[in-house]
Amino acid sequence: MTKAELVAKIASEGGIIKSQAEKALNGLVAAVSAALSGGDKITLVGFGTFSVAARSEREGRNPRTGEKIKIPASKAVKFKAGKTLSEKIK
């Protein structure tokens, strides 16, 4: 599903026009991004939890040459589906 399709779905489900749905979606994305970059965790009951996980430095291999390389430490976004969402997918 693309962003345009999601906006259209939100507009039809919420009974609002597409421009309002797009503003709401952009606001949600901005709020989630800001919270995660600040190190916060976001929990939407029934849907899931967004959090930031730290990845430690590790050793990898260049697939072309087989040479060992160091992969630096980084942070990654994690999502854990909630119970209601998990049941709907099954």
Coordinates of all heavy atoms in Angstrom, one line a residue:
M1 N 0.9 -1.2 0.0 CA 0.0 0.0 0.0 C 0.9 1.2 0.0 O 1.8 1.3 0.8 CB -0.9 0.0 1.2 CG -1.8 1.2 1.4 SD -2.9 1.2 2.8 CE -4.2 0.2 2.2
T2 N 0.6 2.2 -0.9 CA 1.4 3.4 -1.0 C 0.8 4.4 0.0 O -0.3 4.3 0.5 CB 1.4 4.0 -2.4 OG1 0.1 4.3 -2.7 CG2 1.9 2.9 -3.4
K3 N 1.6 5.5 0.1 CA 1.1 6.6 1.0 C -0.3 7.2 0.5 O -1.2 7.4 1.2 CB 2.1 7.7 1.1 CG 1.7 8.8 2.0 CD 2.8 9.9 2.2 CE 2.3 11.0 3.1 NZ 3.3 12.1 3.2
A4 N -0.4 7.3 -0.9 CA -1.6 7.9 -1.5 C -2.8 6.9 -1.2 O -3.9 7.4 -0.9 CB -1.4 8.1 -2.9
E5 N -2.5 5.6 -1.3 CA -3.6 4.7 -1.0 C -4.0 4.7 0.4 O -5.2 4.6 0.8 CB -3.1 3.3 -1.4 CG -3.0 3.1 -2.9 CD -2.3 1.8 -3.3 OE1 -1.6 1.2 -2.4 OE2 -2.4 1.3 -4.4
L6 N -3.0 4.8 1.3 CA -3.3 4.9 2.8 C -4.1 6.2 3.1 O -5.1 6.1 3.8 CB -2.0 4.9 3.6 CG -2.1 4.9 5.1 CD1 -3.0 3.7 5.6 CD2 -0.8 4.9 5.7
V7 N -3.7 7.3 2.5 CA -4.5 8.6 2.7 C -5.9 8.4 2.2 O -6.9 8.8 2.9 CB -3.8 9.7 1.9 CG1 -4.7 10.9 1.9 CG2 -2.5 10.1 2.6
A8 N -6.1 7.8 1.1 CA -7.5 7.6 0.5 C -8.3 6.7 1.5 O -9.5 6.9 1.7 CB -7.4 7.0 -0.9
K9 N -7.7 5.6 2.0 CA -8.3 4.7 2.9 C -8.7 5.4 4.3 O -9.8 5.3 4.8 CB -7.4 3.5 3.2 CG -8.0 2.4 4.1 CD -9.0 1.7 3.4 CE -9.5 0.5 4.2 NZ -10.6 -0.2 3.6
I10 N -7.8 6.2 4.8 CA -8.1 7.0 6.0 C -9.2 8.0 5.8 O -10.1 8.1 6.6 CB -6.8 7.7 6.5 CG1 -5.7 6.8 7.0 CG2 -7.1 8.7 7.6 CD1 -4.4 7.4 7.2
A11 N -9.2 8.6 4.6 CA -10.3 9.6 4.3 C -11.6 8.9 4.2 O -12.6 9.4 4.8 CB -10.0 10.3 3.0
S12 N -11.7 7.7 3.6 CA -13.0 7.1 3.4 C -13.4 6.5 4.8 O -14.6 6.5 5.1 CB -12.9 6.0 2.4 OG -12.0 4.9 2.8
E13 N -12.5 5.9 5.5 CA -12.9 5.3 6.8 C -13.3 6.4 7.9 O -14.2 6.2 8.7 CB -11.7 4.5 7.4 CG -11.4 3.3 6.6 CD -12.2 2.1 7.0 OE1 -12.6 1.9 8.1 OE2 -12.4 1.2 6.1
G14 N -12.6 7.5 7.8 CA -12.9 8.6 8.8 C -13.9 9.6 8.4 O -14.3 10.5 9.1
G15 N -14.4 9.5 7.1 CA -15.4 10.4 6.6 C -14.9 11.8 6.5 O -15.6 12.8 6.7
I16 N -13.6 12.0 6.1 CA -13.0 13.3 5.9 C -12.4 13.4 4.5 O -12.4 12.4 3.8 CB -11.9 13.5 7.0 CG1 -10.8 12.4 6.9 CG2 -12.4 13.6 8.4 CD1 -9.6 12.7 7.8
I17 N -12.0 14.6 4.1 CA -11.5 14.7 2.8 C -10.0 14.3 2.8 O -9.3 14.3 3.8 CB -11.6 16.2 2.2 CG1 -11.0 17.2 3.1 CG2 -13.1 16.5 2.1 CD1 -11.0 18.6 2.6
K18 N -9.5 14.1 1.6 CA -8.1 13.5 1.5 C -7.0 14.5 2.0 O -6.1 14.0 2.6 CB -7.8 13.2 0.0 CG -8.5 11.9 -0.5 CD -8.0 11.6 -1.9 CE -8.7 10.3 -2.4 NZ -8.3 10.0 -3.8
S19 N -7.2 15.8 1.8 CA -6.2 16.7 2.3 C -6.1 16.7 3.9 O -5.1 16.8 4.4 CB -6.5 18.1 1.9 OG -7.8 18.6 2.3
Q20 N -7.3 16.5 4.5 CA -7.3 16.4 6.0 C -6.6 15.1 6.4 O -5.9 15.1 7.4 CB -8.7 16.4 6.5 CG -9.4 17.8 6.4 CD -10.9 17.7 6.8 OE1 -11.5 16.7 6.5 NE2 -11.4 18.8 7.3
A21 N -6.9 14.0 5.7 CA -6.3 12.7 6.0 C -4.8 12.8 5.8 O -4.0 12.2 6.6 CB -6.9 11.6 5.1
E22 N -4.3 13.5 4.8 CA -2.9 13.6 4.5 C -2.2 14.4 5.6 O -1.1 14.0 6.1 CB -2.6 14.2 3.2 CG -1.1 14.2 2.8 CD -0.9 14.6 1.4 OE1 -1.8 15.1 0.7 OE2 0.3 14.4 1.0
K23 N -2.9 15.4 6.1 CA -2.3 16.2 7.2 C -2.2 15.4 8.5 O -1.2 15.5 9.2 CB -3.2 17.5 7.4 CG -3.0 18.6 6.4 CD -3.8 19.8 6.8 CE -3.7 20.9 5.7 NZ -4.6 22.0 6.0
A24 N -3.2 14.6 8.7 CA -3.2 13.7 9.9 C -2.1 12.7 9.8 O -1.4 12.5 10.8 CB -4.6 13.1 10.1
L25 N -2.0 12.1 8.7 CA -0.9 11.1 8.5 C 0.4 11.7 8.6 O 1.3 11.1 9.3 CB -1.1 10.4 7.1 CG -0.1 9.3 6.8 CD1 -0.1 8.2 7.8 CD2 -0.3 8.7 5.4
N26 N 0.7 12.9 8.0 CA 1.9 13.5 8.1 C 2.2 13.9 9.6 O 3.4 13.8 10.0 CB 2.0 14.8 7.2 CG 2.0 14.4 5.8 OD1 2.4 13.3 5.4 ND2 1.6 15.4 4.9
G27 N 1.2 14.3 10.3 CA 1.4 14.6 11.7 C 1.7 13.4 12.5 O 2.6 13.5 13.4
L28 N 1.1 12.3 12.2 CA 1.5 11.1 12.9 C 2.9 10.7 12.7 O 3.7 10.3 13.6 CB 0.5 9.9 12.5 CG 0.9 8.5 13.1 CD1 0.6 8.5 14.6 CD2 0.1 7.5 12.3
V29 N 3.3 10.7 11.4 CA 4.7 10.3 11.0 C 5.7 11.3 11.7 O 6.7 10.8 12.3 CB 4.9 10.3 9.5 CG1 6.3 10.2 9.1 CG2 4.1 9.2 8.9
A30 N 5.4 12.6 11.7 CA 6.3 13.5 12.4 C 6.4 13.3 13.9 O 7.5 13.3 14.5 CB 5.8 15.0 12.1
A31 N 5.3 13.0 14.5 CA 5.3 12.8 16.0 C 6.0 11.5 16.3 O 6.8 11.5 17.3 CB 3.8 12.7 16.5
V32 N 5.8 10.5 15.6 CA 6.5 9.2 15.8 C 8.0 9.4 15.6 O 8.8 8.9 16.4 CB 5.9 8.1 14.9 CG1 6.8 6.8 15.0 CG2 4.5 7.7 15.3
S33 N 8.4 10.1 14.5 CA 9.8 10.3 14.2 C 10.5 11.1 15.3 O 11.6 10.8 15.8 CB 10.0 11.0 12.9 OG 9.4 10.3 11.8
A34 N 9.8 12.1 15.8 CA 10.4 13.0 16.8 C 10.5 12.2 18.1 O 11.5 12.3 18.8 CB 9.5 14.2 17.1
A35 N 9.5 11.4 18.5 CA 9.6 10.7 19.7 C 10.7 9.6 19.7 O 11.4 9.5 20.6 CB 8.2 10.0 20.0
L36 N 10.8 8.9 18.6 CA 11.8 7.9 18.5 C 13.2 8.5 18.4 O 14.2 7.9 19.0 CB 11.6 7.0 17.2 CG 10.4 6.1 17.3 CD1 10.2 5.4 16.0 CD2 10.5 5.1 18.4
S37 N 13.4 9.6 17.8 CA 14.7 10.2 17.7 C 15.1 10.8 19.1 O 16.3 10.9 19.4 CB 14.8 11.4 16.7 OG 13.9 12.4 17.0
G38 N 14.1 11.1 19.9 CA 14.4 11.5 21.3 C 14.6 10.3 22.3 O 14.8 10.5 23.5
G39 N 14.5 9.1 21.8 CA 14.7 7.9 22.6 C 13.5 7.4 23.3 O 13.5 6.5 24.1
D40 N 12.3 8.0 23.0 CA 11.0 7.5 23.6 C 10.5 6.2 22.9 O 10.9 5.9 21.8 CB 10.0 8.6 23.5 CG 10.3 9.8 24.4 OD1 11.1 9.7 25.3 OD2 9.8 10.9 24.0
K41 N 9.6 5.6 23.6 CA 8.9 4.4 23.1 C 7.4 4.8 22.8 O 6.9 5.5 23.7 CB 9.0 3.3 24.1 CG 8.4 2.0 23.6 CD 8.8 0.8 24.5 CE 8.1 0.8 25.8 NZ 8.3 -0.4 26.6
I42 N 6.8 4.3 21.8 CA 5.5 4.7 21.5 C 4.6 3.4 21.5 O 5.0 2.4 20.7 CB 5.3 5.3 20.1 CG1 6.1 6.6 20.1 CG2 3.9 5.6 19.7 CD1 6.2 7.3 18.7
T43 N 3.6 3.4 22.3 CA 2.7 2.2 22.4 C 1.3 2.6 22.0 O 0.7 3.5 22.6 CB 2.7 1.7 23.8 OG1 4.1 1.3 24.2 CG2 1.9 0.4 24.0
L44 N 0.8 1.9 21.0 CA -0.6 2.0 20.5 C -1.3 0.7 20.9 O -1.1 -0.3 20.3 CB -0.6 2.3 19.0 CG 0.1 3.5 18.5 CD1 0.2 3.6 17.0 CD2 -0.5 4.8 19.1
V45 N -2.1 0.8 22.0 CA -2.7 -0.4 22.5 C -3.5 -1.1 21.4 O -4.3 -0.5 20.7 CB -3.6 -0.1 23.7 CG1 -4.3 -1.3 24.2 CG2 -2.7 0.5 24.8
G46 N -3.2 -2.4 21.3 CA -3.9 -3.2 20.3 C -3.2 -3.2 18.9 O -3.4 -4.1 18.1
F47 N -2.4 -2.2 18.7 CA -1.7 -2.1 17.4 C -0.3 -2.6 17.5 O 0.2 -3.5 16.8 CB -1.8 -0.7 16.8 CG -1.1 -0.6 15.5 CD1 -1.7 -1.1 14.3 CD2 0.1 0.1 15.3 CE1 -1.1 -1.0 13.1 CE2 0.7 0.2 14.1 CZ 0.1 -0.4 13.0
G48 N 0.5 -1.9 18.4 CA 1.9 -2.4 18.6 C 2.7 -1.3 19.3 O 2.2 -0.2 19.6
T49 N 4.0 -1.6 19.4 CA 4.9 -0.7 20.0 C 6.1 -0.4 19.1 O 6.7 -1.3 18.6 CB 5.4 -1.4 21.3 OG1 4.3 -1.6 22.2 CG2 6.4 -0.5 22.1
F50 N 6.5 0.9 19.0 CA 7.6 1.3 18.3 C 8.7 1.6 19.3 O 8.4 2.3 20.3 CB 7.4 2.6 17.4 CG 6.4 2.3 16.3 CD1 5.0 2.6 16.5 CD2 6.8 2.0 15.0 CE1 4.1 2.4 15.4 CE2 6.0 1.8 14.0 CZ 4.6 2.0 14.2
S51 N 9.9 1.2 19.1 CA 11.0 1.5 20.0 C 12.3 1.6 19.2 O 12.4 1.2 18.0 CB 11.1 0.5 21.1 OG 11.4 -0.8 20.6
V52 N 13.4 2.1 19.9 CA 14.7 2.2 19.3 C 15.6 1.2 20.0 O 15.6 1.1 21.2 CB 15.3 3.6 19.5 CG1 16.7 3.7 18.9 CG2 14.4 4.6 18.8
A53 N 16.3 0.4 19.2 CA 17.2 -0.6 19.7 C 18.6 -0.3 19.3 O 18.9 0.2 18.2 CB 16.8 -2.0 19.2
A54 N 19.6 -0.4 20.2 CA 21.0 -0.2 19.9 C 21.6 -1.5 19.4 O 21.4 -2.6 19.9 CB 21.7 0.2 21.2
R55 N 22.3 -1.3 18.3 CA 23.1 -2.4 17.7 C 24.5 -2.2 18.0 O 25.1 -1.1 17.7 CB 22.9 -2.5 16.2 CG 21.5 -2.9 15.8 CD 21.5 -3.0 14.2 NE 20.2 -3.5 13.8 CZ 19.9 -3.6 12.5 NH1 20.7 -3.2 11.6 NH2 18.7 -4.0 12.2
S56 N 25.2 -3.2 18.6 CA 26.6 -3.0 18.9 C 27.5 -3.2 17.7 O 27.0 -3.7 16.7 CB 27.0 -4.0 20.0 OG 26.8 -5.3 19.5
E57 N 28.7 -2.8 17.8 CA 29.7 -2.9 16.7 C 29.9 -4.4 16.5 O 30.0 -5.2 17.5 CB 31.0 -2.2 17.1 CG 32.0 -2.2 16.0 CD 33.3 -1.5 16.4 OE1 33.3 -0.2 16.3 OE2 34.2 -2.2 16.8
R58 N 30.0 -4.8 15.3 CA 30.3 -6.2 15.0 C 31.1 -6.4 13.8 O 31.4 -5.4 13.1 CB 28.9 -6.9 14.8 CG 28.1 -6.4 13.7 CD 26.6 -6.9 13.8 NE 25.9 -6.6 12.6 CZ 25.3 -5.4 12.3 NH1 25.4 -4.4 13.2 NH2 24.6 -5.2 11.2
E59 N 31.6 -7.6 13.6 CA 32.4 -7.9 12.5 C 31.6 -8.6 11.3 O 30.8 -9.4 11.6 CB 33.5 -8.9 12.9 CG 34.6 -9.1 11.9 CD 35.7 -10.0 12.5 OE1 36.6 -9.5 13.1 OE2 35.7 -11.2 12.2
G60 N 31.9 -8.1 10.1 CA 31.2 -8.7 9.0 C 32.2 -9.0 7.9 O 33.4 -8.9 8.1
R61 N 31.7 -9.5 6.8 CA 32.5 -9.8 5.7 C 32.0 -9.1 4.4 O 30.8 -9.1 4.1 CB 32.6 -11.3 5.4 CG 33.3 -12.1 6.5 CD 33.5 -13.5 6.0 NE 34.2 -14.3 7.0 CZ 35.5 -14.4 7.0 NH1 36.3 -13.8 6.1 NH2 36.1 -15.1 8.0
N62 N 33.0 -8.7 3.6 CA 32.6 -8.2 2.3 C 32.3 -9.4 1.4 O 33.1 -10.2 1.2 CB 33.8 -7.4 1.7 CG 33.6 -6.8 0.3 OD1 32.8 -7.3 -0.4 ND2 34.3 -5.7 0.0
P63 N 31.1 -9.5 0.9 CA 30.7 -10.7 0.1 C 31.5 -10.8 -1.2 O 31.6 -11.9 -1.7 CB 29.2 -10.4 -0.2 CG 28.9 -9.0 0.1 CD 30.0 -8.5 1.0
R64 N 32.0 -9.7 -1.7 CA 32.7 -9.8 -3.0 C 34.1 -10.4 -2.8 O 34.6 -11.2 -3.5 CB 32.8 -8.5 -3.7 CG 33.4 -8.5 -5.0 CD 33.3 -7.2 -5.7 NE 31.9 -7.0 -6.1 CZ 31.4 -5.8 -6.5 NH1 32.2 -4.8 -6.5 NH2 30.2 -5.7 -6.8
T65 N 34.8 -9.8 -1.7 CA 36.2 -10.2 -1.5 C 36.4 -11.2 -0.4 O 37.5 -11.8 -0.3 CB 37.1 -9.0 -1.3 OG1 36.6 -8.4 0.0 CG2 37.0 -8.0 -2.4
G66 N 35.5 -11.3 0.5 CA 35.6 -12.1 1.7 C 36.4 -11.5 2.8 O 36.6 -12.1 3.8
E67 N 36.8 -10.2 2.6 CA 37.6 -9.5 3.5 C 36.8 -9.1 4.8 O 35.6 -8.8 4.7 CB 38.1 -8.2 2.9 CG 38.8 -7.2 3.8 CD 39.1 -5.9 3.1 OE1 38.8 -5.7 1.9 OE2 39.6 -5.0 3.8
K68 N 37.4 -9.2 6.0 CA 36.7 -8.9 7.2 C 36.6 -7.4 7.3 O 37.5 -6.7 7.0 CB 37.4 -9.5 8.4 CG 37.3 -11.0 8.5 CD 38.0 -11.4 9.8 CE 37.9 -13.0 9.9 NZ 38.5 -13.4 11.1
I69 N 35.4 -6.9 7.7 CA 35.2 -5.5 7.9 C 34.5 -5.3 9.3 O 33.8 -6.2 9.8 CB 34.4 -4.8 6.8 CG1 33.0 -5.5 6.7 CG2 35.1 -4.9 5.5 CD1 32.1 -4.8 5.7
K70 N 34.7 -4.1 9.8 CA 34.0 -3.7 11.1 C 32.7 -3.0 10.7 O 32.8 -2.0 10.0 CB 34.9 -2.9 12.0 CG 35.9 -3.7 12.7 CD 36.4 -2.9 13.9 CE 37.4 -3.8 14.7 NZ 37.8 -3.2 15.9
I71 N 31.6 -3.4 11.3 CA 30.3 -2.7 11.1 C 30.1 -1.9 12.3 O 30.1 -2.4 13.4 CB 29.2 -3.7 10.9 CG1 29.5 -4.6 9.6 CG2 27.8 -3.0 10.7 CD1 28.5 -5.7 9.5
P72 N 30.0 -0.5 12.2 CA 30.0 0.3 13.4 C 28.6 0.1 14.1 O 27.6 -0.3 13.6 CB 30.1 1.7 12.8 CG 29.7 1.6 11.4 CD 30.0 0.2 11.0
A73 N 28.7 0.5 15.4 CA 27.4 0.5 16.2 C 26.4 1.5 15.6 O 26.8 2.5 15.0 CB 27.8 0.9 17.6
S74 N 25.1 1.1 15.8 CA 24.1 2.0 15.2 C 22.8 1.8 16.0 O 22.7 0.9 16.9 CB 23.8 1.6 13.7 OG 23.4 0.3 13.6
K75 N 21.8 2.5 15.7 CA 20.5 2.4 16.3 C 19.5 2.0 15.2 O 19.6 2.4 14.0 CB 20.0 3.7 16.9 CG 20.9 4.1 18.1 CD 20.4 5.3 18.8 CE 21.2 5.7 19.9 NZ 20.7 7.0 20.5
A76 N 18.5 1.2 15.5 CA 17.5 0.8 14.6 C 16.1 0.9 15.2 O 15.9 0.7 16.4 CB 17.7 -0.7 14.1
V77 N 15.1 1.1 14.4 CA 13.7 1.2 14.9 C 13.2 -0.3 14.9 O 13.3 -1.0 14.0 CB 12.8 2.0 13.9 CG1 11.4 2.0 14.4 CG2 13.3 3.5 13.9
K78 N 12.5 -0.6 16.0 CA 11.9 -1.9 16.2 C 10.4 -1.7 16.3 O 9.9 -0.7 16.8 CB 12.4 -2.6 17.4 CG 13.7 -3.1 17.4 CD 14.2 -3.8 18.7 CE 13.2 -4.6 19.4 NZ 13.6 -5.2 20.7
F79 N 9.6 -2.7 15.8 CA 8.2 -2.7 15.9 C 7.7 -4.0 16.4 O 8.1 -5.1 15.8 CB 7.5 -2.4 14.6 CG 6.0 -2.4 14.7 CD1 5.2 -1.5 15.3 CD2 5.3 -3.5 14.2 CE1 3.9 -1.5 15.4 CE2 3.9 -3.6 14.3 CZ 3.2 -2.6 14.9
K80 N 7.0 -4.1 17.5 CA 6.4 -5.3 18.0 C 4.9 -5.2 17.9 O 4.3 -4.3 18.5 CB 6.8 -5.6 19.4 CG 6.4 -6.9 20.0 CD 7.0 -7.2 21.3 CE 6.7 -8.6 21.7 NZ 5.5 -8.8 22.4
A81 N 4.3 -6.1 17.1 CA 2.8 -6.1 16.9 C 2.1 -6.4 18.2 O 2.5 -7.2 19.0 CB 2.4 -7.1 15.8
G82 N 1.0 -5.7 18.4 CA 0.2 -5.9 19.6 C -0.7 -7.1 19.4 O -0.8 -7.7 18.3
K83 N -1.4 -7.6 20.4 CA -2.2 -8.8 20.4 C -3.3 -8.7 19.4 O -3.5 -9.6 18.6 CB -2.8 -9.0 21.8 CG -3.6 -10.3 21.9 CD -4.1 -10.5 23.4 CE -4.9 -11.7 23.4 NZ -5.4 -11.9 24.8
T84 N -4.0 -7.6 19.4 CA -5.2 -7.4 18.4 C -4.7 -7.5 17.0 O -5.3 -8.2 16.2 CB -5.9 -6.1 18.7 OG1 -6.3 -6.0 20.1 CG2 -7.2 -6.0 17.8
L85 N -3.6 -6.8 16.7 CA -3.1 -6.8 15.3 C -2.6 -8.2 14.9 O -2.9 -8.7 13.8 CB -2.0 -5.8 15.2 CG -1.3 -5.8 13.8 CD1 -2.3 -5.4 12.7 CD2 -0.1 -4.8 13.8
S86 N -1.9 -8.9 15.8 CA -1.4 -10.2 15.6 C -2.6 -11.2 15.3 O -2.5 -12.1 14.4 CB -0.6 -10.8 16.8 OG 0.5 -10.0 17.0
E87 N -3.7 -11.1 16.1 CA -4.8 -12.0 15.9 C -5.5 -11.7 14.5 O -6.0 -12.6 13.9 CB -5.8 -11.8 17.0 CG -5.3 -12.3 18.3 CD -6.3 -12.0 19.5 OE1 -7.2 -11.3 19.3 OE2 -6.0 -12.5 20.6
K88 N -5.6 -10.4 14.1 CA -6.2 -10.1 12.8 C -5.4 -10.7 11.6 O -5.9 -11.0 10.6 CB -6.4 -8.6 12.6 CG -7.5 -8.0 13.5 CD -7.6 -6.6 13.2 CE -8.8 -6.0 14.1 NZ -9.0 -4.6 13.9
I89 N -4.1 -10.8 11.8 CA -3.2 -11.2 10.7 C -3.3 -12.8 10.6 O -3.2 -13.3 9.5 CB -1.8 -10.8 11.0 CG1 -1.7 -9.3 10.8 CG2 -0.8 -11.5 10.0 CD1 -0.3 -8.7 11.2
K90 N -3.5 -13.4 11.6 CA -3.6 -14.9 11.6 C -4.7 -15.4 10.8 O -5.5 -15.5 10.3 CB -3.6 -15.5 13.0 CG -2.4 -15.4 13.7 CD -2.5 -16.0 15.1 CE -1.2 -15.8 15.9 NZ -1.2 -16.4 17.2

